[in-house]
């Protein structure tokens, strides 16, 4: 429609053959204004349709990604990671719950969920098992996995957030904010690792962190 309008204007002599003189100026104003209004309206419609096309493309891409995730979840590896996701979600919720109770009642946690679970299992089955040795190692490994995966997820989320709101004026402020968040997250991860270590090794991290 825009091309047809340009061709019509060209045929009328409104593009290249601009008339001169007083009557020519009046004619050019009366004819080109209506044409320019039509072109502006058509261009607005085109912009709206192009934006709609972009949104439809993004939604289609999300649907394809969701379909791929559903198909992947039906595989053995997908079921395995899905089970790990539920397991670590429950583990993290329990850690948050116990940490909140310890803060409210001002007490120090002695055992973590892994140690408690191993103790219950060993007492129930009645087998010989070094609970203290293996619970510390298993708990330390689980906390390490949680920290690595959560930091990866945090970095991905912060990167998307940075791309969404960043500009030439706010980029420095956002970088400083992200640095503060990552520093705080690193310290909290170190404290989480400290709680899963034997008491003789906790003293080392305590000395490094100082009065924190």
């Amino acid at each position: 429609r825009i091309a047809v309008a340009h061709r019509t204007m060209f045929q009328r002599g409104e593009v290249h053959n601009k008339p001169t003189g007083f009557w020519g100026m009046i004619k050019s104003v009366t004819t080109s204004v209506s044409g320019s209004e039509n072109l502006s309206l058509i261009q607005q419609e085109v912009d709206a349709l192009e934006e709609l096309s972009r949104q439809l493309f993004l939604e289609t891409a999300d649907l394809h990604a969701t379909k791929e995730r559903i198909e992947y979840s039906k595989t053995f590896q997908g079921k395995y990671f899905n089970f790990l996701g539920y397991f670590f979600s429950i583990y993290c919720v329990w850690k948050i719950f116990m940490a909140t109770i310890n803060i409210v009642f001002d007490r120090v946690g002695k055992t973590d969920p892994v140690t408690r679970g191993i103790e219950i299992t060993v007492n129930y089955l009645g087998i010989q098992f070094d609970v203290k040795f293996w619970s510390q190692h298993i708990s330390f490994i689980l906390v390490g996995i949680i920290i690595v995966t959560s930091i990866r997820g945090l970095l991905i989320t912060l990167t998307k957030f940075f791309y969404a709101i960043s500009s030439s004026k706010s980029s420095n402020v956002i970088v400083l904010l992200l640095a503060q968040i990552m520093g705080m997250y690193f310290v909290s991860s170190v404290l989480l690792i400290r709680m899963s270590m034997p008491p003789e090794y906790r003293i080392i991290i305590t000395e490094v962190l100082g009065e924190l």
Side-chain angles (χ1 to χ4, degrees), residues 93-159:
V93 170
W94 177 257
K95 294 283 287 186
I96 294 173
F97 176 72
M98 293 305 299
T100 304
I101 292 179
N102 293 335
I103 292 174
V104 172
F105 294 99
D106 193 18
R107 67 180 188 180
V108 179
K110 300 297 182 182
T111 58
D112 58 306
V114 175
T115 305
R116 178 64 65 183
I118 294 176
E119 288 178 352
I120 294 174
T121 304
V122 170
N123 293 330
Y124 179 77
L125 298 177
I127 59 177
Q128 298 295 327
F129 191 77
D130 192 352
V131 178
K132 183 178 180 181
F133 175 79
W134 287 107
S135 62
Q136 290 175 353
H137 286 74
I138 295 175
S139 179
F140 190 75
I141 292 173
L142 290 179
V143 171
I145 294 174
I146 292 174
I147 290 173
V148 172
T149 54
S150 61
I151 289 179
R152 177 180 177 273
L154 178 67
L155 289 175
I156 293 175
T157 304
L158 291 180
T159 303

